[in-house]
């Protein structure tokens, strides 16, 4: 049987639609792998002045594939002019897989409006999970005017 280029093309389209063309199946699996890539989402959810301190609330979602027993991050808070205002360690405690957690920290002597951005400088401690689970798949976001970077 002789196939014209148009006929060959229509057969390839039909096989792709049926999921039977090998290249189409390979594309699907890489899309699935990308959707299932390990991540650790940290969102700066709120920044509120409490007396003479700024209280920051972080929402954390662990999608690394396993529980993290303890995560301690080295954080750098920058002032309005871009200068380092504070460098500190924040203990996010345990981060169970698939369960959101909110962690709050207060920074005495700093008004929230005076903090322009927060840098996650690295993970001081990461117990449980794969090596690098606390830093490799970081997905950072903010709901405040303060930038969260890492």
């Amino acid at each position: 049987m002789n196939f014209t280029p148009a006929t060959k093309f229509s057969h390839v389209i039909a096989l792709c639609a049926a999921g039977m063309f090998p290249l189409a199946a390979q594309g699907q699996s890489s899309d699935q792998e990308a959707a299932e890539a390990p991540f650790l989402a940290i969102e700066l959810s709120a920044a509120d002045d409490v007396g003479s301190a700024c209280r920051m609330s972080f929402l954390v979602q662990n999608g690394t594939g396993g529980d993290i027993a303890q995560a301690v991050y080295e954080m750098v808070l920058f002032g309005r002019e871009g200068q380092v205002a504070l460098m500190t360690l924040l203990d996010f405690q345990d981060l169970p897989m698939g369960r959101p957690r909110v962690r709050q920290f207060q920074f005495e002597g700093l008004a929230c409006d005076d903090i322009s951005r927060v840098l996650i400088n690295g993970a001081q401690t990461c117990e449980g999970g794969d090596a690098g689970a606390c830093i490799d798949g970081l997905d950072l976001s903010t709901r405040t005017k303060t930038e969260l970077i890492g």
Side-chain angles (χ1 to χ4, degrees):
M1 178 182 265
N2 285 338
F3 288 108
T4 66
T7 308
K8 286 180 185 177
F9 182 72
S10 64
H11 285 301
V12 169
I13 296 296
L15 289 172
C16 287
M20 297 174 67
F21 195 67
L23 293 176
Q26 288 174 357
Q28 280 182 333
S29 66
S30 65
D31 290 344
Q32 289 171 343
E33 289 170 13
E36 296 172 8
F39 69 92
L40 186 66
I42 301 177
E43 173 189 278
L44 176 52
S45 184
D48 302 302
D49 289 312
V50 179
S52 63
C54 176
R55 179 177 59 210
M56 291 187 167
S57 301
F58 294 88
L59 173 64
V60 184
Q61 181 70 37
N62 177 359
T64 62
D67 292 344
I68 295 174
Q70 184 181 27
V72 178
Y73 289 99
E74 182 179 81
M75 306 287 266
V76 182
L77 282 63
F78 292 88
R80 286 191 150 306
E81 307 299 317
Q83 78 284 8
V84 173
L86 177 67
M87 189 169 184
T88 188
L89 296 175
L90 299 182
D91 187 353
F92 280 73
Q93 304 168 2
D94 64 314
L95 302 171
M97 171 62 191
R99 298 186 62 199
R101 290 291 181 252
V102 174
R103 303 292 188 240
Q104 291 184 323
F105 305 94
Q106 284 192 190
F107 305 101
E108 198 62 44
L110 288 173
C112 293
D113 283 342
D114 292 336
I115 302 171
S116 63
R117 63 185 166 168
V118 176
L119 167 67
I120 298 179
N121 209 31
Q124 174 76 20
T125 303
C126 185
E127 295 178 6
D130 293 337
C134 294
I135 204 78
D136 289 341
L138 277 182
D139 179 14
L140 305 175
S141 62
T142 185
R143 290 186 181 267
T144 72
K145 63 181 180 179
T146 303
E147 186 180 11
L148 180 61
I149 59 176

